[in-house]
Amino acid sequence: MDKMKAAIYSGIQEIEIQEVAMTPPPAGYLVVDTKQTGICGSDLHSYFGNWPQSDTLAAGHETCGIVAEIGEAITEFKVGDKVVIECFSHCSSCSYCQKGLYNFCHERKWISHNMHGGFAEYTTAHTSGLFKLPDTMSFEEGALIEPLAVSYRAVAQSKASYQDRLAIIGGGTIGQLCLAVAKAAGIKETLITVKYDQQYKLAQELGADHIVDISKVDLKEYVMNLTDGCRMDVAIETVGGGQNFNEALAIVRPRGSVVLVAGYYKPLEVELSRIVWSEVMVTGSNCYGYSGMETDFQASIDLVESGKVDATKLVTHRLPLTEISEAFRISADKKSGAIKVHVCQ
């Protein structure tokens, strides 16, 4: 087989199936027979032209499948392994990698590095970003490990514990998975903001203590009433935009914490005086790495395998690769009822 189908951006809000050449994997890389891939918020940023588009290579990084071909110098994987893929590769030897901070690797490269990603019939990936999945785990569960790992790290970055009140700004994929992780971790009290009915219902299913529909309720007023004016201990901002950043700052207590995990793509106006006067700690959360003694990816695999997190609750739509244009349209329109849209092969 020397040709395959790949979905490639062809303009603003345009993605189409093309027939492309298959190439053997370079040393250190392998080819994965793609089975299921989620459409990420970052994919939508590119779809809308807010982030760069490639007009030659398939994107897609929330992906899993079966190892189909192995490049030179690979011994830890074999053909037939069920695997899930991080969105970048790393060198394992630079100063950051040696400290477990491989998300800051000097040689960090995107998922397939000038080869096709998860919106193609076959995905090429570097072994440094590859994890084996248990045989009992479904492809749907596997395709949710990547966004779950992003959320796991965001909660870890917050350092919230059983004694803390945690607010999550945004009821999309990352927000809902932050909620799921927080519940599994035993956080004392959780609050999540939503805008759509499907987000509200999912937050209920995942066990949120408080759900705030920001189209109907003033968030700051709600939090002040809830906490008798004390505010939340921690806020995780998953949406992006100046208003959401400012709301996160407004609802945390003095010396509370704000974690930013949204996809920011332009400068923002932010009320920095809140940080000064309240000594609010603000930090980012960059993909995943080690948040403890194991990787965020492995911790996420364990959460799903153990049943502590049922990430499949997020999947609202499943479409074949041949219908990826429709899949993106649905994913981009939350009035469609979408939370997580999966492309299945």
Side-chain angles (χ1 to χ4, degrees), residues 22 25 30-34 65-71 78-81 83 121-123:
M22 287 190 65
L30 44 70
V31 174
V32 175
D33 183 353
T34 314
I66 300 292
V67 174
E69 187 177 355
I70 295 177
K78 66 182 185 300
V79 172
D81 282 344
V83 292
E121 289 183 295
Y122 291 87
T123 301

Side-chain angles (χ1 to χ4, degrees), residues 163-167 188-192 209-210 212 218-235 247-254 274:
Q163 61 185 335
D164 291 320
R165 287 169 156 167
L166 170 65
K188 175 183 176 181
E189 200 167 350
T190 55
L191 177 152
I192 187 170
D209 297 297
H210 308 282
V212 181
D218 181 271
L219 176 60
K220 183 178 178 182
E221 183 179 331
Y222 185 97
V223 167
M224 295 300 279
N225 289 334
L226 173 68
T227 63
D228 293 326
C230 294
R231 297 184 171 90
M232 308 296 285
D233 299 293
V234 179
E247 289 206 328
L249 291 172
I251 64 171
V252 295
R253 61 171 173 78
R274 173 70 184 160

Side-chain angles (χ1 to χ4, degrees), residues 136-170:
T136 55
M137 191 171 289
S138 68
F139 292 123
E140 182 152 298
E141 289 172 321
L144 289 156
I145 296 300
E146 197 277 343
L148 180 57
V150 171
S151 304
Y152 179 88
R153 185 174 185 83
V155 175
Q157 288 284 89
S158 79
K159 296 181 171 56
S161 74
Y162 68 92
Q163 61 185 335
D164 291 320
R165 287 169 156 167
L166 170 65
I168 300 161
I169 308 294

Side-chain angles (χ1 to χ4, degrees), residues 196-303:
Y196 304 99
D197 288 344
Q198 71 269 23
Q199 295 176 343
Y200 193 100
K201 291 174 184 175
L202 178 58
Q204 283 183 313
E205 288 186 46
L206 294 176
D209 297 297
H210 308 282
I211 307 170
V212 181
D213 184 339
I214 57 173
S215 67
K216 302 173 183 176
V217 177
D218 181 271
L219 176 60
K220 183 178 178 182
E221 183 179 331
Y222 185 97
V223 167
M224 295 300 279
N225 289 334
L226 173 68
T227 63
D228 293 326
C230 294
R231 297 184 171 90
M232 308 296 285
D233 299 293
V234 179
I236 299 177
E237 205 288 277
T238 74
V239 181
Q243 179 180 349
N244 293 302
F245 192 168
N246 281 321
E247 289 206 328
L249 291 172
I251 64 171
V252 295
R253 61 171 173 78
R255 296 192 64 79
S257 299
V258 171
V259 177
L260 306 177
V261 69
Y264 297 97
Y265 56 87
K266 63 182 179 180
L268 306 176
E269 282 194 21
V270 180
E271 192 176 342
L272 297 179
S273 62
R274 173 70 184 160
I275 299 174
V276 175
W277 299 118
S278 295
E279 296 188 354
V280 175
M281 310 299 177
V282 179
T283 190
S285 187
N286 179 7
C287 289
Y288 24 71
Y290 282 87
S291 292
M293 294 298 289
E294 65 178 0
T295 63
D296 301 319
F297 242 69
Q298 189 57 55
S300 298
I301 292 170
D302 295 344
L303 280 173

